[in-house]
Amino acid sequence: MGKQVKFIGLGVVVVILATLGGFKFFDRVENGNVGIRYAISGGVRDKALSQGIHFVGLDYVTQYPIKTQSIKQRVAVATSDGKKTDVKISYSYHVDPSKAVAIYKKFGSADIHAIETGWLAQKLQKASRESMAKFTLLEVVGTDSTKAQAGILKSFQQAAEPYGFVVEDLSFGTPSIDEQTQKSIDDIIKAGQDNKKAELEAKTKETQAKADADAKITAANAEAEANNKINASINDQTIAYMEAQARLKHGWVTVQTNDAMVDAKGN
């Protein structure tokens, strides 16, 4: 009986140890991450783990994010006309899963936030300076804003993607503006408003003149049509009828006899 109890107790211990060992030998990679395996024998394994549960033995697994991250950063730049400004830039990026291990090897134990505020911030700063230096400050806040933004995005992508950081999109706000540039902008806006007002007034006058001309043409056409109708309605019978009506109205008629025409007034 005592031996049986010992065997049962030993079996329970084995089951518990096996269960605990199973949890130790398996690891779960959360959604939106890959798992970077670090072997206790030394070194990072070459292949990252996808999301889900994996047998890892005694390896240590670090969760590495690959989902899209949204970053905001303010950068200081100088434009082609020598003016210094700063602008707030927003961009989205994600880590290429196939290059996650290479990123981990390059940056070591640095977490993704440290990379964003360090290495990525430097690359964005450099790309911004290169692009903004091609435009004046007035162009950046005006007609060439889209070109400047596209230039920053392209340069940033080219700098980051070879290392496994995929920049998806980028946008920037309004750069800080000095007084002289602000005055130039105000003058341009005022000139545009004045031009628009002048165009509107000219168009109004043109519309009114056209309306007056159309009204005169319509009246002339109506008068001509009325005259045509009157002319078309006059013939010998009409004239004779009108003459007879006039004579009756004024109290006299013309009588035709065999020898002569005699006018007689009626009483």
Side-chain angles (χ1 to χ4, degrees), residues 29-70:
V29 178
E30 301 296 335
N31 184 32
N33 295 334
V34 292
I36 307 298
R37 296 177 62 181
Y38 189 87
I40 60 173
S41 58
V44 178
R45 298 193 183 275
D46 293 333
K47 187 175 181 180
L49 301 174
S50 60
Q51 70 178 63
I53 299 175
H54 301 271
F55 177 80
V56 296
L58 297 177
D59 288 356
Y60 176 76
V61 178
T62 297
Q63 303 275 337
Y64 212 83
I66 58 171
K67 59 186 177 182
T68 297
Q69 309 285 338
S70 296

